[in-house]
Every structure is written in C-alpha cells, then in structure tokens.
Amino acid sequence: MKNIKDYNLDSLKEEFINMGEKPFRAEQVFKWLYEEKVKEFDEMTNLSLALREKLKENYTMCNFNILKKQESSDGTKKYLFDILDGNAIETVLMSYHHGYSLCVSSQVGCKMGCKFCASTGIQFARNLTSGEIVEQILAVEQDNNIRISNIVFMGIGEPLDNYDNVVNAIRIINNQKGINIGARHISISTSGLVPKIYKLAEENIQCTLSISLHATTNEKRSSMMPVNKLYPIEELLKACKDYINKTNRRISFEYALVKDNNDNLEDAKRLVHLLKGMICHVNLIPINKIENGAYTKSSNENIMKFRDYLNDHGIVATIRRELGSDIDAACGQLRRKNLR
Ligand code: SAH
C-alpha cells in the first residue's frame, strides 16, 4: 500500500485527479494530515464516506509507534520509533529559547563510514521515504502537544544520499498548507556529496546547508571521513561557493574538535584560509565520545582558543551547546537499534 504522507501537495492533487476526485480534496486531506494531525482517515469528516473508504483501501497513514523515549536532564528527548517494517530509527527533540528543534533521520543506517560517528558500523538497511521523514515530526508534535519550529537533518543517515525523498519531504514540511515550517528553519547537513550540493543549489529551496568539514587537510579529513577520498576539500568548497552564489544563503560549517588531532593553531589558520571570503558560519562541536571511539574531546580551553582565533580573523564561529549527551542523543551518538 502507498503511504499518503509520501506525497507533496502537487503530487497528491495528481493522485486524486487520477482517482477521479477533485484536486481540492487533496488540499482537504493535506489539512487533516498536517494541521489537524489526525491519525485515521475516518477522522477526515468533510470527505464523503465513499472517499474515505477508497483512501483506506489504497493508502496507509504510516503512524509510527514509539518503542522507547528517553529524557535528558537538559530536557532533550530521544525517540526510538518502530517504522512498521521491523526497522527502528532515532529522532531527537531539543528545546531552545527560540522554540523546538527536531533532529530527524534520513536513512536506516548510513553508508558514509565517518570514523567518529555512532551511525557508522551499523549495516545500512534502506532509505527513509518522504512520508517517514515527515512522520517523525508529526509523531513528536503529537506526543508533546507542541509545534516544532526548526528541522535539522542531522539524525541517522546522509540526507544527500537519499536526495529525492529528502527534497520531497522538505516540500511537504515547507508548504504553507503542509507542516508550514519556513525553509530558512530547515537545515540539511551533509558529509559532502559534491554533485548533490550542485543539484540542491538548483532546487529553489531556501534551506540552510551545513557541511560536516571537521578537518583542514585532505590527509586528515580522509582519515576521519572516507567520503573525502571521493570529493576532496577543494572540490567540496567549490561546490559550497556555487551554492552560496546561487542561493544567497550562508553556509554553516560543522567542525568537531578532537584532542591532539584537528584542534591546534595550525588547523585554525588553515581553516581561516580555506573559508576566507565565503558567506559562512563555523559551528564548533566538542566531539562526542562514542563506544570504542578513538577520538577524545578537546579541552574547553583549546575550544575557546580555536573559536577566538577564527573570530579574530574574520570567520564567525560559535561553540555548539551540548544537548542530550547523557542519553546518547548528542551529535554522532545516534544509532539504529536492531530489533530483529
Ligand atoms: N550525514 C550527515 C548528517 C548526520 S551527522 C552529515 O555528515 O552531516 C550530523 C552531524 O553530527 C554532522 O555534522 C556530523 O559530522 C556530526 N557528528 C557525527 N559524529 C559526531 C560526534 N561523535 N561528535 C560530534 N559531532 C558528530
């Protein structure tokens, strides 16, 4: 059966026309799904009984079950969702003074193999569909009776390795008749799939692009992130410049500071040199420890020195607040729990 939440508004209208229904019915269904957040077709009371039956016969609503929920002392909540095929994914809700931010997964497992990330080493199972990406938002909003204002694609998976479903999900999330979260409040984080960055620049979506950079030489970056062997730093930054030129959007560079590895003054100098002249922001992350991980967090002193060096040399840099580390919900700590 098809998942009704896999469709953006235009494709749902086409689907309805093909069923012999008027396209405005698709708008009504959209409203029920994303404004009223109903869980059954029978709750869509302005549709005829016959249409509701037809929808029930042909589509699922893909309502996830919560397998596990953990709450951190800082209020961060981590969800383990049963995604209805025996697989499970994690989603993290963070609370900031400006609202709620949700960290969503884009794949079941990840193929990128970054050495410092807990999602590595779990066998890749499959891409999530658009509806499954969207459902993470609906399920968390329903469970907490809140409205989420920011979405970050920083959960399990490489979003640009599931390009079509992620972009389609963003169209549903962004649509005013859908979940209605402004594109500027949606961030895609990538390990650096260069051809997909060029493609994303052409989509006419104003979302924020985050690049997981983490190192300033190809040697070091390749040792942390195998993807760098395919798309080295120069090519990655060239694609970023194209993204900035085409979208006029500032790029965010993620840089996880590892003790005695990428956190010294030479690295800071090289980083300034690499990013000079780009409209960007550097997000420094004290690296989070993972099971058997070889990487250790830099000292607070080094982290602050690194930040100050960047700021003093014209690169805006901030240190990311660490949320949820006590429940393994911080960056890089998510892993798919195998159910079978
Ligand atoms: N695949 C995408 C999105 C998922 S990872 C990407 O690579 O960007 C989300 C962010 O967490 C990325 O910036 C990633 O580099 C970072 N990250 C992964 N493991 C981490 C760890 N152990 N400590 C801190 N950040 C980590």
Side-chain angles (χ1 to χ4, degrees):
M1 273 222 274
K2 299 182 267 188
N3 174 0
I4 193 104
K5 291 171 188 162
D6 279 340
Y7 296 87
N8 66 43
L9 186 52
D10 288 339
S11 57
L12 194 63
K13 281 181 182 170
E14 267 173 45
E15 194 77 1
F16 273 56
I17 292 168
N18 292 338
M19 277 195 292
E21 296 290 337
K22 296 263 187 326
F24 82 91
R25 294 284 176 209
E27 292 205 10
Q28 289 179 319
V29 168
F30 231 59
K31 203 168 163 183
W32 283 115
L33 291 174
Y34 303 118
E35 260 184 59
E36 306 297 331
K37 304 187 176 81
V38 301
K39 291 191 139 189
E40 303 293 338
F41 287 111
D42 279 331
E43 292 176 74
M44 301 182 177
T45 47
N46 57 1
L47 307 183
S48 68
L49 268 177
L51 176 55
R52 278 185 249 162
E53 285 306 317
K54 194 149 76 174
L55 293 176
K56 274 194 268 182
E57 276 164 29
N58 292 293
Y59 302 92
T60 66
M61 299 260 289
C62 165
N63 299 316
F64 287 168
N65 302 314
I66 300 173
L67 286 173
K68 197 168 162 192
K69 185 164 70 173
Q70 283 171 279
E71 189 163 351
S72 154
S73 53
D74 61 33
T76 300
K77 286 185 192 174
K78 181 169 79 171
Y79 288 84
L80 180 70
F81 287 118
D82 157 19
I83 61 170
L84 316 175
D85 68 344
N87 282 304
I89 52 160
E90 292 184 327
T91 305
V92 178
L93 175 68
M94 291 158 292
S95 160
Y96 291 99
H97 61 271
H98 58 263
Y100 290 103
S101 192
L102 195 69
C103 177
V104 295
S105 291
S106 55
Q107 298 179 314
V108 184
C110 186
K111 297 183 217 158
M112 306 316 293
C114 300
K115 298 279 194 305
F116 46 82
C117 180
S119 298
T120 292
I122 325 157
Q123 212 187 347
F124 174 82
R126 65 174 177 87
N127 283 329
L128 291 180
T129 70
S130 307
E132 289 168 332
I133 293 168
V134 165
E135 174 62 14
Q136 296 172 60
I137 305 170
L138 296 176
V140 173
E141 286 192 333
Q142 278 160 346
D143 189 51
N144 294 278
N145 204 12
I146 54 167
R147 205 180 125 62
I148 287 164
S149 49
N150 283 279
I151 303 296
V152 296
F153 281 85
M154 289 196 183
I156 301 166
E158 166 51 53
L160 295 188
D161 186 39
N162 183 14
Y163 186 90
D164 292 341
N165 293 348
V166 165
V167 167
N168 188 49
I170 289 177
R171 297 199 192 286
I172 301 168
I173 296 167
N174 183 222
N175 194 302
Q176 289 186 344
K177 291 180 173 136
I179 297 185
N180 193 18
I181 297 178
R184 285 162 185 265
H185 297 276
I186 303 171
S187 293
I188 296 189
S189 181
T190 180
S191 55
L193 297 184
V194 164
K196 298 293 167 53
I197 295 173
Y198 284 110
K199 198 168 173 200
L200 189 65
E202 304 289 342
E203 294 285 351
N204 204 15
I205 313 176
Q206 289 287 303
C207 62
T208 302
L209 184 63
S210 286
I211 304 288
S212 298
L213 189 62
H214 304 317
T216 55
T217 65
N218 282 320
E219 194 190 353
K220 218 176 263 188
R221 192 166 190 268
S222 295
S223 74
M224 301 167 90
M225 306 173 71
V227 65
N228 193 67
K229 292 176 197 151
L230 214 53
Y231 306 115
I233 295 178
E234 310 75 62
E235 282 184 37
L236 176 58
L237 293 181
K238 209 165 125 203
C240 290
K241 284 175 190 153
D242 175 79
Y243 188 87
I244 295 169
N245 285 340
K246 294 223 169 93
T247 63
N248 249 325
R249 299 282 291 139
R250 185 173 74 157
I251 287 191
S252 181
F253 288 96
E254 312 290 312
Y255 196 98
L257 287 158
V258 186
K259 191 173 171 217
D260 301 329
N261 179 329
N262 63 0
D263 65 342
N264 57 47
L265 191 61
E266 289 308 307
D267 288 293
K269 277 186 190 161
R270 276 194 297 265
L271 191 55
V272 168
H273 182 71
L274 287 174
L275 302 184
K276 208 162 47 192
M278 286 174 89
I279 316 173
C280 67
H281 170 259
V282 174
N283 229 327
L284 298 172
I285 318 168
I287 200 154
N288 291 301
K289 192 124 186 103
I290 58 166
E291 239 175 89
N292 305 326
Y295 300 102
T296 315
K297 201 181 278 202
S298 302
S299 66
N300 283 345
E301 196 193 334
N302 268 11
I303 294 172
M304 284 190 285
K305 266 197 210 154
F306 203 94
R307 177 199 57 193
D308 293 344
Y309 185 89
L310 297 182
N311 284 329
D312 290 345
H313 291 82
I315 305 285
V316 182
T318 48
I319 300 170
R320 180 180 294 163
R321 250 176 81 205
E322 292 173 86
L323 292 176
S325 51
D326 56 340
I327 52 166
D328 285 351
C331 283
Q333 295 187 320
L334 299 189
R335 49 184 297 127
R336 172 181 66 110
K337 300 282 187 311
N338 215 330
L339 286 181
R340 285 178 171 157

